[in-house]
Amino acid sequence: MPTIPPGRAPGPRPQPHELRSVAESFGIDVERYDRTRPRYPTELLARIIDHGPGRTVLDVGCGTGILARQLQAAGCTVTGVEPDARMAALARRSGVPVEVATLEDWDPAGTSFDVVVAGQAWHWVDPVAGAAKAARVLRPGGRLAALWNVMQPPPEVTDAFATAYQRVAPDTSFAVGTPAQHAYRALTDKAIDGLRQAGGFAPAEQWRTEWDQPYDRAAWLDQLPTHGTLTTLDAERQAEVVREVGAAIDALGGSMTVHYTTVALTAVRTAAATGRA
């Protein structure tokens, strides 16, 4: 599922039709998405699993199965829910059972889980209805964990991206210029409020893991077109942004290190679901 642009955040609030367009654009190149998107820190995943009552997991907005496969490797039984049939098909090919639906519309058919996770996806879920559905399918003591990888490339690269993007797409609401950490704080605040309104959860916590990932020019430019600000651009404008970012990486010697903060917003189910889902 989508992320904020590398190292930056949306400026003006995108319009609903723009959000739908972005949401529907991630299945355009599912192989690239699956190949290039960052994984999640194993120690953070272990903490989430170890603080749950068991190892049956629902992966909300599972995309191509990146997070689900990591959880399977850790010994979990994972079921995915994904609205994009193209992404769900790749996840199935990689061994993840997936139902094509949004969380809000998905019918759990009486199933329950020890853990509900969402990797780069909870901001696409209605914060109240999604929390209520999570409470409905979680066993008592089960844990909800929404994860985001917040990336911070070197400033030379983020500046090149912002300059090129604002030139080729000056009319979009996805203006870049605010530090990514601020945008993710807004996402977590919205999710926390949704949990509070839905009920059935203990107060939310935020768990963070810091890590670094080296990229050469080819690897970063391979990932770049999978981000939401670029997936909806035509090929010519997308290529122009990629070209300028590549030049910035060349100026750094052809490689760089991207700093990541993986944020897990997590809460324990403590009471019966409210019936809103």
Side-chain angles (χ1 to χ4, degrees):
M1 295 302 287
T3 60
I4 304 302
R8 299 288 177 167
R13 185 174 181 83
Q15 298 301 307
H17 71 277
E18 292 179 295
L19 293 174
R20 288 194 300 272
S21 178
V22 173
E24 294 166 359
S25 70
F26 289 91
I28 291 173
D29 191 346
V30 294
E31 299 287 349
R32 181 196 294 266
Y33 187 101
D34 192 70
R35 180 179 68 248
T36 64
R37 281 303 185 100
R39 274 46 183 169
Y40 298 89
T42 55
E43 62 269 27
L44 181 59
L45 299 186
R47 184 180 181 188
I48 292 167
I49 296 165
D50 291 345
H51 283 75
R55 291 176 177 258
T56 60
V57 180
L58 176 68
D59 186 358
V60 175
C62 70
T64 59
I66 291 170
L67 176 57
R69 293 194 300 271
Q70 287 189 260
L71 291 168
Q72 287 177 328
C76 296
T77 300
V78 184
T79 299
V81 175
E82 168 55 47
D84 189 312
R86 298 163 298 183
M87 301 187 93
L90 191 150
R92 291 191 189 108
R93 293 198 300 272
S94 69
V96 179
V98 183
E99 297 186 38
V100 177
T102 64
L103 176 64
E104 297 91 330
D105 294 336
W106 174 62
D107 180 6
T111 56
S112 59
F113 300 86
D114 299 308
V115 181
V116 173
V117 299
Q120 302 293 143
W122 195 255
H123 52 286
W124 297 100
V125 175
D126 180 280
V128 178
K133 179 65 73 67
R136 174 183 166 189
V137 302
L138 277 168
R139 299 184 178 104
R143 181 171 294 276
L144 170 66
L147 295 88
W148 289 275
N149 281 324
V150 185
M151 62 181 69
Q152 186 60 60
E156 297 89 341
V157 174
T158 57
D159 289 346
F161 178 90
T163 299
Y165 185 81
Q166 289 166 350
R167 185 177 63 252
V168 303
D171 297 327
T172 180
S173 295
F174 290 95
V176 288
T178 305
Q181 293 87 342
H182 295 176
Y184 282 93
R185 189 174 303 120
L187 296 180
T188 55
D189 287 349
K190 185 176 181 180
I192 290 169
D193 187 58
L195 289 168
R196 180 187 58 78
Q197 292 186 56
F201 286 95
E205 303 176 70
Q206 292 189 46
W207 299 346
R208 296 171 182 266
T209 300
E210 308 277 340
W211 53 288
D212 292 319
Q213 177 68 46
Y215 289 92
D216 61 23
R217 182 185 193 275
W220 185 252
L221 297 187
D222 195 22
Q223 181 189 138
L224 194 58
T226 72
H227 291 273
T229 45
L230 293 187
T231 54
T232 56
L233 294 183
D234 60 65
E236 183 178 352
R237 291 188 296 167
Q238 187 181 111
E240 186 171 344
V241 175
V242 170
R243 183 167 55 251
E244 293 208 16
V245 172
I249 299 173
D250 287 340
L252 294 174
S255 63
M256 64 179 185
T257 297
V258 174
H259 181 72
Y260 286 91
T261 302
T262 301
V263 179
L265 176 69
T266 181
V268 174
R269 181 187 181 277
T270 59
T274 63
R276 299 189 192 206

